[in-house]
Each structure stands twice: as C-alpha cells, then as structure tokens.
Amino acid sequence: MVVNRIISSAVAGLAAVVIGFASSIALIYQLVINLGGDASLASSWLLSLGLAIGITSIALSFYYRIPILTAWSTPGAALLIADAQNFSLNEAVAGFMFSALLIFLSGITGWFEKLINKIPFQLASAMLAGILVNFGIDVFNHMNQEPILVGVMFLTYLIAKQLAPKFTILFVLLLSGVMAWQLNLIDVSDFSWEISEFTYISPEFNLKAILGVGVPLFIVTMAAQNLPGIAVLKAHNYKTPVSSILSVTGLVNLIAAPFGGYGLNLAAITAAICMTEDVDKKPENRYWAAISGGVFYIVMALSASYLMNVFSILPTALIFALAGIALFTTITNSIKQALTDNKVSEAAMITFLVTASNLTLLNINSVLLGLIAGCLVMAVQRAFKKNAVIK
C-alpha cells in the first residue's frame, strides 16, 4: 500500500514536471535569444527556474501538507517575447525583480487573499475547467497530426484507467516514448551530457524597464498564473494560505531574477495532475506528489543543458496529448463542481465559456475576463432579485 502510494505520487510528480518543462521550454529559449542571449544563457535560466520551483514546491507542500506546486510563468514568457525586445538584458532583469517585489508585497499585505476569498467556489471551478478544456481538446486536434502516436496514447489511457488507475500516466508516458521511437519521431544520436552553470546578470533599473517589463509581467503572472493556481487548490477543497505562498514565491523570485528567474508563481495545469484521486484516495496525502514534482524539478534543473536538447526533439503531438490526457479527470471534476449549485450555475457556465475563449479586452486575458464575467452575471441576477423582493 505504501509502495503504491510512493509510486503513484512519483508518477504524478514526474508527469507534472515533464509537461511543465516540455510545454514552455521553447518559449524561454526564444525569450533569451530575443534579449541577446544564447543557448548557454538559456540553460542558466532553466537552472535558476528549476531550482527555485523545486525548493519552493518541496518546502511549501511539506510545511502546509497540501499539494503546492510552483512553476515559471508561461504567459509571462510569451508576454516578454512580444514586449521585451526593446529592452536590454540588464533592463529586463530589473523588470523581473520589480515584478517579484510586487508579488511579495501582495503576499505580506494580504490584499490579494481577501479578494480571492470572495470568489464563489463554483466560479473558481468553472475558471479552472475553462483553462484546462482546451488541453483536453488538443488531444484530438493533434490526432490529425500524428494519428498512430496519439491514438495509441489515448487507447493506453482508456485501458490503463480501468486496470491500473494509479499508474495510468506512467503507462501513457512509457508507451508514447516507445511509439515515438518506433515511428522515427525521435533522434538522440547527437546528444551529449552537459552540466548547467549559473550566469549572473546585473540589473539596470530605470522607469522604462519598470513600466515596460515589471508591471505587465506582474499583472500577467497574478491574473493568468497565480489566480488559476489558487482556483485549482480551492476546486480540490484545500484551505490555501494564499498570502504566505505569494510572500514566499515573491521573495524567492526576487533572489532568482538576476540569474534568469523571471517569473515564479503557483502552477495550475501541472498542479492539477498532483491532486486527482489517481494519486491517492485521501486528499491529505496528495502533497507527496507535489514534493515529488519538486524533486524532479531540481533533477531536471541540474541537467537543463541536456534536457533542452531532449525536449526539442520530442514530437509536439506527444507533449500536447500527454498534457490533455493527464488532465481528463480534473476537467471532468471541475465541470461537475462548477454546476453543483443551480443559483450560480449560469454564472459558472459563462465563466467557463469566456475563460475557454480567446477573448482579450484592454490587454486583459480570458482567464481574468471569465471571472469578471461570472461575477457580473451574479451581481446582475442578485440586483434584480433584490428589487423583486422590495416590490
């Protein structure tokens, strides 16, 4: 029983880390290149980010006994690729540090937690479902690209889910790798082992960097990463120490920024993998999956140079399909939880639809807009009900 729990936790942690690394490693590489760096600097950034994520995931999960998995800001990397090209590497690092400082202040003041606690549970679940649903859809979209590979992955999931639910993702991981190899989709002939090293970048503070890099990165990290990360924990009925988490991640981010730690925040998509019943029937034991994820992040950080080459040759279809398949259960549970109360079911459904869309207004992404839309629906409904009672 204990052995099964250890294995299932380790598998969930490994799956979360593989998906987390593979899904955005190209973004980080492109960001470094855009800022004037090279592959060596990119591996330094991954080393810094991986260690920061690993240490905070292990420490926070063990201390609070809940599955708290941190991550780098993938939307933040996408934002920086688009917006940071007019800044030097040193100016960008100054922006990273300012964003981290704002996150730290959000934690120690407690204002963000007070705001989050007012969000209905059903809307948080609907937002989570909206974030994850496209990953589920992408499993079948990528079946067009690699029908045999993704088809075998999906069939493996269906069979393993019935025969050995705790090890489903492990079987999918192993068989997908074998199939990709057999289909000649992987070539490792030119690989060699390398150890990554830290590279310090001196920050160059100015108003241009703070307003052009720091503030937008802070907003995107909080709205598109920390908010969904908190929603994941709330959707799985965990009492979340929001302010403490933000204080810790903000402080560690501030320390890691000069070494390439541009954005550290709560994980959402990968964290959800560590919170399903497949990890452990008892929710209070699932924090070991996040701790396992932290350990694997540290291992991967130490071999970042090598892993950059490994992940670059994995088929895109494999990575996207693996992410979606690993989240099938979470998507199902989130939709169920979002619709548990008829009084807020319409607001929850609108939250889900807006979040899942590509809507962007005034540079606000669909994640935050979905939550705003759901709250607006509830406010309008309550206002009319209140007027009806008065009459």
Side-chain angles (χ1 to χ4, degrees):
M1 189 70 177
V2 175
V3 174
N4 287 346
R5 182 185 302 170
I6 293 173
I7 294 175
S8 59
S9 295
V11 169
L14 178 60
V17 174
V18 169
I19 292 168
F21 257 76
S23 62
S24 56
I25 195 171
L27 286 176
I28 295 175
Y29 179 81
Q30 187 62 51
L31 171 58
V32 173
I33 299 302
N34 284 5
L35 290 171
D38 54 18
S40 177
L41 183 61
S43 67
S44 171
W45 283 39
L46 287 175
L47 173 63
S48 176
L49 288 164
L51 290 178
I53 292 169
I55 292 169
T56 52
S57 296
I58 293 170
L60 289 169
S61 297
F62 186 79
Y63 184 81
Y64 290 108
R65 297 295 196 273
I66 59 177
I68 301 173
L69 191 67
T70 57
W72 56 61
S73 177
T74 300
L79 170 75
L80 292 170
I81 289 172
D83 293 348
Q85 295 184 26
N86 296 324
F87 298 91
S88 69
L89 191 59
N90 304 84
E91 288 176 325
V93 168
F96 302 164
M97 295 181 71
F98 186 74
S99 172
L101 178 62
L102 291 178
I103 294 173
F104 174 71
L105 293 175
S106 299
I108 62 173
T109 58
W111 70 266
F112 192 73
E113 182 172 9
K114 293 177 182 177
L115 176 64
I116 291 300
N117 287 335
K118 295 181 179 179
I119 298 174
F121 172 79
Q122 289 80 7
L123 295 195
S125 297
M127 185 178 69
L128 175 61
I131 295 168
L132 301 181
V133 68
N134 286 318
F135 284 83
I137 294 172
D138 274 342
V139 173
F140 306 101
N141 287 337
H142 282 85
M143 201 173 282
N144 289 322
Q145 181 181 339
E146 295 291 346
I148 298 176
L149 174 63
V150 180
V152 168
M153 291 174 69
F154 181 61
L155 185 60
T156 302
Y157 166 80
L158 293 178
I159 297 173
K161 185 74 173 177
Q162 302 302 316
L163 299 178
K166 287 188 176 182
F167 309 114
T168 300
I169 302 303
L170 175 60
F171 285 123
V172 175
L173 270 171
L174 293 176
L175 200 56
S176 64
V178 172
M179 284 301 302
W181 180 276
Q182 292 297 316
L183 293 169
N184 296 318
L185 299 175
I186 296 177
D187 180 11
V188 296
S189 58
D190 296 329
F191 283 170
S192 61
W193 177 259
E194 294 181 51
I195 296 294
S196 300
E197 297 179 353
F198 287 110
T199 301
Y200 176 77
I201 305 166
S202 178
E204 184 179 323
F205 291 96
N206 57 51
L207 187 61
K208 178 184 176 183
I210 288 173
L211 296 179
V213 177
V215 174
L217 180 59
F218 165 73
I219 294 173
V220 167
T221 299
M222 295 298 280
Q225 290 281 169
N226 279 326
L227 190 58
I230 294 166
V232 170
L233 287 161
K234 290 185 69 174
H236 289 85
N237 299 313
Y238 288 109
K239 186 177 180 181
T240 311
V242 177
S243 294
S244 297
I245 293 173
L246 292 178
S247 298
V248 171
T249 55
L251 181 60
V252 174
N253 190 174
L254 190 59
I255 297 170
F259 301 95
Y262 71 93
L264 181 65
N265 43 251
L266 279 170
I269 296 165
T270 51
I273 297 172
C274 299
M275 300 180 194
T276 66
E277 290 186 359
D278 295 339
V279 174
D280 198 293
K281 293 294 183 182
K282 297 179 179 179
E284 62 269 21
N285 291 332
R286 296 173 192 168
Y287 70 95
W288 285 108
I291 290 176
S292 298
V295 172
F296 284 119
Y297 262 117
I298 292 174
V299 172
M300 287 196 170
L302 296 175
S303 54
S305 294
Y306 180 77
L307 288 170
M308 283 189 66
N309 293 326
V310 173
F311 283 120
S312 68
I313 56 91
L314 287 178
T316 301
L318 186 154
I319 299 302
F320 278 89
L322 179 62
I325 289 172
L327 294 169
F328 279 165
T329 301
T330 302
I331 295 169
T332 302
N333 292 338
S334 297
I335 293 175
K336 286 181 179 178
Q337 291 167 350
L339 301 176
T340 54
D341 188 345
N342 290 332
K343 294 180 180 178
V344 296
S345 60
E346 186 174 13
M349 182 53 63
I350 290 176
T351 297
F352 167 77
L353 293 173
V354 174
T355 303
S357 72
N358 294 319
L359 179 64
T360 301
L361 295 174
L362 302 175
N363 292 323
I364 301 175
N365 66 15
S366 62
V367 175
L368 186 55
L369 287 173
L371 199 57
I372 293 172
C375 291
L376 178 62
V377 172
M378 289 183 61
V380 171
Q381 291 175 340
R382 289 175 180 175
F384 275 88
K385 288 180 180 179
K386 187 175 181 180
N387 289 335
V389 171
I390 293 175
K391 291 179 181 180

